[in-house]
Amino acid sequence: TLFRSALPLALNGGAGTITDQNGTGWNTLALKGTWRPQDRRDHVVDMGLQQDQGNLNYRVHNTDNWISGSAGVLNNAFAGKSNLLSAFAQDTWSFAPQWKSVLGLRAEQWSAFDGRTDIASGTSNASSSTAYNFERREEFYLSPKAAVSNQWRDDTVLKASLGRAVRMPTLSELYGATTNANSQYVNDPNLKPEKSWTTELSMEKDTGKGLLRVTFFAEETKDSI
């Protein structure tokens, strides 16, 4: 709920809006397994599947009293759905004494659909609105990662890693809308996923009373959200 009058007068009620998010939510399913070949003690293989589904259903109505009033005409509304299906596999390999590597790959299939934004036209008491319907979007990405570590000394480990990550836009970022005195709507149905390459070099030393770590970290990000 949003009130339009300034405080402290707004604490007694007055014109405002009522927000209804019924139907908004998500569900997630994740499965993971680990395989340790009996004849290859130097390998540990992890695999997994994941599915995320999201639903956005957001409606804002004008009201004569933001505390006790009922929902009036539509101010704005937005809706949309998304689905992310991903699979990953990685192999942890002790390929030599004091040496260990991790090689992995993640595949992601993402889609966003049924996107819609409704913006009320005219005054705050308008009963008409303009609807914007957005096309279905689908994206597919592969994200590799690699890491290697060396037990340099009994109390010191050296590590190096490189990996790619992709962050899909949320439904609110794609279809979310708002109206105020300065803007009609704010959303970007064509927002690109954020893609990052991350590099890390580190040294860890066991001091006997704690763990001392020195890290060099670098990241290159495109289409930052």
Side-chain angles (χ1 to χ4, degrees), residues 25-31 49-55 82-86 106:
W26 66 90
N27 61 74
T28 299
L29 174 65
L31 302 174
L49 295 172
Q50 181 177 347
Q51 178 166 308
D52 297 321
Q53 293 180 324
N55 189 56
S82 66
N83 185 70
L84 175 65
L85 180 63
S86 61
R106 179 183 177 90

Side-chain angles (χ1 to χ4, degrees), residues 7-214:
L7 293 173
L9 184 62
L11 296 177
N12 298 320
T17 59
I18 294 177
T19 301
D20 183 0
Q21 299 185 63
N22 184 38
T24 297
W26 66 90
N27 61 74
T28 299
L29 174 65
L31 302 174
K32 181 181 178 180
T34 300
W35 178 46
R36 295 179 173 85
Q38 292 184 356
D39 56 340
R40 294 294 301 273
R41 300 292 183 178
D42 53 347
H43 281 274
V44 177
V45 179
D46 293 299
M47 299 164 287
L49 295 172
Q50 181 177 347
Q51 178 166 308
D52 297 321
Q53 293 180 324
N55 189 56
L56 181 68
N57 193 18
Y58 194 98
R59 298 168 302 283
V60 180
H61 293 265
N62 294 328
T63 182
D64 293 332
N65 191 309
W66 71 275
I67 295 178
S68 59
S70 58
V73 298
L74 180 71
N75 185 295
N76 60 61
F78 41 95
K81 298 178 181 178
S82 66
N83 185 70
L84 175 65
L85 180 63
S86 61
F88 79 90
Q90 73 172 30
D91 180 18
T92 303
W93 179 26
S94 300
F95 61 91
Q98 282 75 51
W99 286 92
K100 182 182 292 185
S101 69
V102 177
L103 298 176
L105 183 66
R106 179 183 177 90
E108 298 176 288
Q109 177 68 47
W110 173 81
S111 61
F113 50 97
D114 292 344
R116 177 186 174 98
T117 297
D118 293 84
I119 301 296
S121 57
T123 67
S124 60
N125 294 320
S127 58
S128 62
S129 61
T130 301
Y132 302 87
N133 293 289
F134 305 109
E135 295 182 358
R136 180 186 180 93
R137 288 183 54 189
E138 293 190 1
E139 308 272 356
F140 178 79
Y141 292 98
L142 292 173
S143 300
K145 76 172 185 178
V148 62
S149 64
N150 172 249
Q151 190 71 44
W152 184 39
R153 295 178 179 175
D154 290 342
D155 60 356
T156 305
V157 179
L158 304 177
K159 298 180 180 180
S161 62
L162 172 68
R164 186 195 197 210
V166 179
R167 204 274 268 182
M168 306 300 178
T170 66
L171 288 170
S172 293
E173 291 167 339
L174 292 171
Y175 310 126
T178 185
T179 58
N180 54 49
N182 299 315
S183 64
Q184 185 181 33
Y185 65 92
V186 179
N187 66 329
D188 186 356
N190 299 312
L191 192 64
K192 296 180 180 180
E194 179 178 291
K195 298 169 283 291
S196 301
W197 279 98
T198 301
T199 304
E200 184 175 302
L201 303 174
S202 66
M203 180 185 72
E204 293 182 356
K205 179 180 176 61
D206 188 350
T207 65
K209 296 183 179 180
L211 189 66
L212 175 65
R213 176 170 179 166
V214 179

